[in-house]
Amino acid sequence: MKRRTFSKSVLVTGLLSASQSLAGSRWMAPAEADPHTATWMSWPTSSGIYGDEAYLESVQEHLGRLARAIARFEPVLMAAPAGAFERVRALCGSGVRPIDVPTNDMWMRDTGPVFLRSEQGGLIATDFNFNGWGGRQAPRKHDEAVAANVADYLSVPTVHTFLVGEGGGLEWDGDGTLLLTDSCWLNDNRNPGISKATMTKELRRLLGVEKVIWLPGVRDQDITDGHIDGAIRFVRPGLIMTGGYPDDDSDWGLALKESRRILAGETDARGRPFDLVDVPSATNPANGSEELFTGYANFYTANGAVFTPLFGDRVADESAVKKLADLFPDREVVALEVDRLYENGGGIHCVTQQQPAV
């Protein structure tokens, strides 16, 4: 596919002015699979997070590999301090445009805004007050401001909230249904004293959803407290892909089993029962790191493509690519080895954030 070129004027065409009042407006979060204007990513700059400069450079190389691949299908905007632009261009290629937004790390799904579409046809940003995953890696003064800085760059208005959380903790279908975990959102390290009823009401307002389905998740065993995008994802309304390890009786496996049980008995906002498709995680990866996250559910959909990891587990990799091709028959499946993302607790979805077309 021919690489698309872009300019800032293309990116802001049709957007609401930042000074335009949101009073009386309605908005919703479009499905990730809807058309995009661009993909936003974030450049990791803090060697202290990764232990040493050499390992940080390796992380940057893997992130650049992903950015370059996405840029075959749509523009990629890389938030990065101006001093990093030369390296961004070298590792990502000409299809990736560095944007002067200071950053600490690469997890744009969590630090960046969740984009909404207004009923007038413009773009709106939501800032979920990123606090370092409940203060587990605070302070991150640059990452805490990424959502606001991206909205400022695009000159779009922001919907503010009292909730604290991350985009990776939310999964919606673009047709009125939202999934999330108790372990992440009903957690005193983010939202002390806020009830499930209050939070449900606020999430409906923020994302324009009608039905919110709460799933258990896992608390205190990873930095995210059980982000939903690691294991449970919408393919399209009514169809959900899950990913776990076969016969897993750990807390993670039991939580996924319970989530699947809940979803099997639920319907979405339009009354449709859910069809659940499981894509097992890799069990024999080439990378021997104990920290490696080997799930395929953390995929990302761009214009005409779906991006998934390769772990060097031939059987699991081939099965995942085939299932994704079946689930997304109108998209090219792009499979990449980007282990530096996955051995740091996240994946392809965690480092990307779609800017919907308006």
Side-chain angles (χ1 to χ4, degrees), residues 11-47:
L11 294 172
V12 300
T13 298
L15 304 186
L16 290 173
S17 165
S19 63
Q20 185 173 336
S21 173
L22 291 174
S25 296
R26 297 179 61 187
W27 52 79
M28 65 173 293
E32 183 181 306
D34 283 3
H36 302 173
T37 295
T39 291
W40 280 86
M41 299 179 71
S42 178
W43 195 248
T45 61
S46 299
S47 58

Side-chain angles (χ1 to χ4, degrees), residues 14-335:
L15 304 186
L16 290 173
S17 165
S19 63
Q20 185 173 336
S21 173
L22 291 174
S25 296
R26 297 179 61 187
W27 52 79
M28 65 173 293
E32 183 181 306
D34 283 3
H36 302 173
T37 295
T39 291
W40 280 86
M41 299 179 71
S42 178
W43 195 248
T45 61
S46 299
S47 58
I49 294 173
Y50 292 100
D52 61 61
E53 192 68 29
Y55 187 72
L56 171 63
E57 290 177 358
S58 182
V59 171
Q60 292 172 341
E61 289 169 3
H62 283 225
L63 189 72
R65 183 182 305 167
L66 174 62
R68 187 185 292 265
I70 295 173
R72 289 176 49 220
F73 299 89
E74 63 185 61
V76 175
L77 305 178
M78 184 69 72
F85 280 15
E86 182 176 354
R87 183 158 174 81
V88 170
R89 294 188 180 104
L91 292 178
C92 300
S94 60
V96 177
R97 178 175 179 174
I99 303 298
D100 190 6
V101 171
T103 57
N104 299 115
D105 209 346
M106 61 181 167
W107 310 112
M108 178 58 82
R109 180 68 49 177
D110 294 345
T111 63
V114 173
F115 288 111
L116 315 168
R117 185 185 294 130
S118 77
E119 63 181 352
Q120 291 86 12
L123 196 69
I124 300 172
T126 297
D127 187 341
F128 276 100
N129 306 305
F130 178 72
N131 73 343
W133 302 282
R136 294 178 186 277
Q137 287 196 3
R140 286 177 174 234
K141 65 177 183 178
H142 295 320
D143 283 353
E144 290 170 6
V146 165
N149 287 335
V150 168
D152 285 348
Y153 171 79
L154 292 173
S155 300
V156 300
T158 299
V159 177
H160 293 283
T161 179
F162 55 85
L163 297 181
V164 174
E166 304 90 35
L170 301 167
E171 182 67 17
W172 61 89
D173 66 354
D175 197 28
T177 307
L178 172 70
L179 310 177
L180 71 168
T181 60
D182 294 358
S183 58
C184 176
W185 290 88
L186 297 174
N187 194 317
D188 285 347
N189 65 13
R190 293 169 174 83
N191 297 296
I194 299 178
S195 69
K196 181 179 286 189
T198 298
M199 195 172 297
T200 297
K201 181 179 179 180
E202 177 68 353
L203 288 167
R204 285 174 175 161
R205 180 188 76 87
L206 288 170
L207 301 175
V209 295
E210 299 165 40
K211 185 167 186 176
V212 179
I213 299 175
W214 290 88
L215 302 171
V218 177
R219 192 182 299 251
D220 296 329
Q221 291 192 23
D222 79 323
I223 194 172
T224 72
D225 290 297
H227 271 186
I228 195 165
D229 72 345
I232 301 171
R233 301 290 310 286
F234 278 112
V235 175
R236 55 181 175 271
L239 179 58
I240 294 174
M241 173 178 158
T242 65
Y245 295 97
D247 304 316
D248 184 4
D249 60 359
S250 70
D251 289 346
W252 292 100
L254 295 175
L256 180 58
K257 182 178 180 180
E258 175 63 9
S259 294
R260 287 179 61 87
R261 186 196 66 79
I262 292 170
L263 291 168
E266 275 281 6
T267 58
D268 67 11
R270 305 290 168 247
R272 292 174 291 231
F274 293 115
D275 184 12
L276 305 176
V277 176
D278 192 59
V279 178
S281 300
T283 58
N284 189 32
N287 184 327
S289 171
E290 293 183 358
E291 302 298 322
L292 189 71
F293 163 50
T294 61
Y296 300 98
N298 198 254
F299 61 81
Y300 176 63
T301 53
N303 295 337
V306 56
F307 295 85
T308 188
L310 291 175
F311 296 114
D313 181 334
R314 184 181 61 81
V315 173
D317 286 346
E318 289 180 0
S319 176
V321 169
K322 183 179 184 302
K323 286 188 176 181
L324 284 166
D326 292 340
L327 292 171
F328 295 96
D330 58 342
R331 295 176 189 268
E332 179 180 335
V333 178
V334 181

